[in-house]
Amino acid sequence: MKKLKFKNGDQLDAIGLGTWKSEKGEVTQAVKTALNNGYKHIDCAAVYDNEAEVGEAFEEVFGEGEIKREDIWITSKLWNNAHKKEDVIPALKKTLKDLKLDYLDLYLIHWPVAFKPEVGFPEKAEDYLSLEEAPLIETWNEMLKAKEQGLVKHIGVSNFSIPKLKELMKDTDHAPEMNQVELHPYLQQNELLEFCSKNGINVTAYSPLGSGDRPDQMKAENEPSLLEIPTITKIAKKHGATPGQILIKWSEQRGTAVIPKSTNEGRIKENLASAGYQLDEEDMKAIADLDKHFRFVTGKFFETEGNSYDNIYDD
Ligand code: NDP
């Protein structure tokens, strides 16, 4: 499997396990299955409301002693209601407590959007903090402090467009080490990938399979299914792989990390096994032609009339 490299020499296995929407009653087993079958990369977030259950898996697996904490890469994310500088490190400490860890490998600012501390999910314009009230650079400087304190090894962002990255980078000497964004054949993000590559920022692809288990209110009408795109099913057939494996392999082969979510034992194993395939030039060209700038996670749920976030992705 490909590895992503960091400036200090650390390396990240490209294929990891996503945990958004993984039910509390299922996620402990899913993470144990993943770790016991060779995954070395787990993606978490405070807002997934299952970090305590993910932590039970870490406690059990690391406690058994065969798999060591230092060989596994664990990412989590700062939720949007903890952007104020006094809230960042306490939020991180809560995540560490839930995950039953001493440190994270990577901590990300989940969205370039800030809510008031008491708001879990906003409903009206007053629930938000403007970028003037919670400047991203102040949040970022706290992330840097967390790194200095050894609470996290690497820091980065998520859902940041090129303008948002530039905005942050003009005020700091410490560029994000990772940008986690939606990425799949219908949203290939070539410009963003090029910008990140030039600036030494690694990229992680989220929703690589089209996020079919999102809540209905987050779905558009007649949403396409990535797993049923004829080009993908044809390439899958040619390699004796599943469509999911082709989607995952495509991301890995392009040099990004990729974090498919599953709580199903067979699919957890199947997704990691994607690394064993190789797409040829013809496959890569056929998939490159599929791009249509289609987002599953539109960010529209943050666009409440009157708040400061009416164009999250700067599209
Ligand atoms: P994915 O694109 O990973 O799709 C998950 C869905 O695909 C589930 O229904 C899962 O079902 C199914 N599935 C898993 N493997 C296969 C397979 N091989 N073949 C067919 N179906 C399959 O969606 P997510 O949106 O969950 O994205 C992945 C991860 O990325 C998240 O879990 C989260 O960790 C991260 N993420 C980050 C975001 C951010 O803002 N930073 C936003 C969105 C996601 P089943 O479980 O039954 O296998």
Side-chain angles (χ1 to χ4, degrees):
M1 177 185 319
K2 283 203 175 188
K3 289 179 191 295
L4 277 66
K5 296 190 175 58
F6 288 78
K7 286 190 186 121
N8 72 342
D10 284 354
Q11 297 197 11
L12 163 66
D13 264 24
I15 301 176
L17 179 77
T19 60
W20 176 36
K21 309 170 265 68
S22 299
E23 301 289 342
K24 284 178 198 269
E26 294 179 339
V27 74
T28 309
Q29 188 53 47
V31 173
K32 283 198 292 189
T33 300
L35 293 174
N36 288 324
N37 284 283
Y39 279 74
K40 294 188 182 323
H41 172 187
I42 310 288
D43 184 77
C44 315
V47 74
Y48 301 162
D49 193 27
N50 58 10
E51 288 197 321
E53 291 73 19
V54 172
E56 282 168 26
F58 292 148
E59 189 169 59
E60 199 176 317
V61 172
F62 299 144
E64 283 162 3
E66 239 173 77
I67 295 171
K68 298 205 165 29
R69 163 69 185 100
E70 57 269 30
D71 295 331
I72 306 301
W73 181 287
I74 302 168
T75 299
S76 184
K77 314 183 193 91
L78 176 77
W79 188 234
N80 307 344
N81 62 1
H83 276 212
K84 280 185 97 71
K85 58 181 179 220
E86 62 274 22
D87 294 333
V88 175
I89 290 185
L92 167 58
K93 287 189 171 162
K94 163 84 166 71
T95 272
L96 286 170
K97 186 164 174 257
D98 284 346
L99 293 173
K100 301 168 207 6
L101 301 173
D102 302 326
Y103 71 91
L104 289 176
D105 296 276
L106 176 64
Y107 199 44
L108 305 175
I109 297 180
H110 206 146
W111 291 87
V113 173
F115 312 153
K116 289 185 175 160
E118 66 279 12
V119 175
F121 220 86
E123 288 169 2
K124 50 190 186 307
E126 299 76 58
D127 290 342
Y128 293 79
L129 294 172
S130 66
L131 285 170
E132 289 72 38
E133 290 168 304
L136 276 172
I137 187 62
E138 288 189 8
T139 311
W140 185 247
N141 286 336
E142 288 302 305
M143 303 281 283
L144 279 166
K145 265 190 218 161
K147 187 173 168 183
E148 279 158 23
Q149 290 174 16
L151 297 170
V152 301
K153 293 203 166 180
H154 302 274
I155 52 175
V157 296
S158 175
N159 296 301
F160 271 48
S161 61
I162 294 175
K164 298 258 164 32
L165 288 169
K166 283 187 177 163
E167 177 68 25
L168 180 62
M169 285 159 64
K170 76 174 174 31
D171 293 329
T172 177
D173 293 335
H174 301 275
E177 296 172 85
M178 176 68 78
N179 189 16
Q180 181 179 123
V181 294
E182 181 175 337
L183 201 54
H184 45 68
Y186 278 172
L187 183 68
Q188 304 198 9
Q189 306 259 36
N190 292 322
E191 241 185 282
L192 182 65
L193 283 195
E194 199 184 324
F195 178 88
C196 287
S197 161
K198 276 194 188 138
N199 288 281
I201 304 170
N202 278 309
V203 174
T204 298
Y206 78 60
S207 302
L209 306 174
S211 198
D213 56 348
R214 270 151 48 251
D216 283 345
Q217 65 268 29
M218 284 180 69
K219 288 187 180 172
E221 252 174 66
N222 301 320
E223 231 177 51
S225 160
L226 298 181
L227 295 156
E228 291 168 33
I229 302 171
T231 305
I232 299 295
T233 54
K234 198 169 138 213
I235 295 173
K237 207 164 173 199
K238 169 174 148 189
H239 291 278
T242 67
Q245 288 178 315
I246 298 303
L247 293 168
I248 294 165
K249 182 67 202 180
W250 174 78
S251 273
E252 186 235 24
Q253 207 164 306
R254 283 173 105 207
T256 68
V258 51
I259 44 172
K261 171 266 172 187
S262 183
T263 48
N264 173 280
E265 181 176 350
R267 288 190 285 278
I268 290 172
K269 292 179 187 170
E270 173 186 325
N271 294 345
L272 189 68
S274 312
Y277 296 92
Q278 184 67 31
L279 301 178
D280 60 32
E281 233 173 86
E282 193 191 341
D283 304 329
M284 292 305 275
K285 167 81 184 62
I287 299 176
D289 287 345
L290 294 173
D291 198 6
K292 48 161 87 177
H293 202 85
F294 179 86
R295 286 184 192 279
F296 291 98
V297 180
T298 65
K300 288 240 178 298
F301 39 91
F302 294 139
E303 293 177 9
T304 304
E305 210 176 318
N307 73 31
S308 341
Y309 306 104
D310 56 356
N311 187 3
I312 287 181
Y313 298 115
D314 299 294
D315 284 333

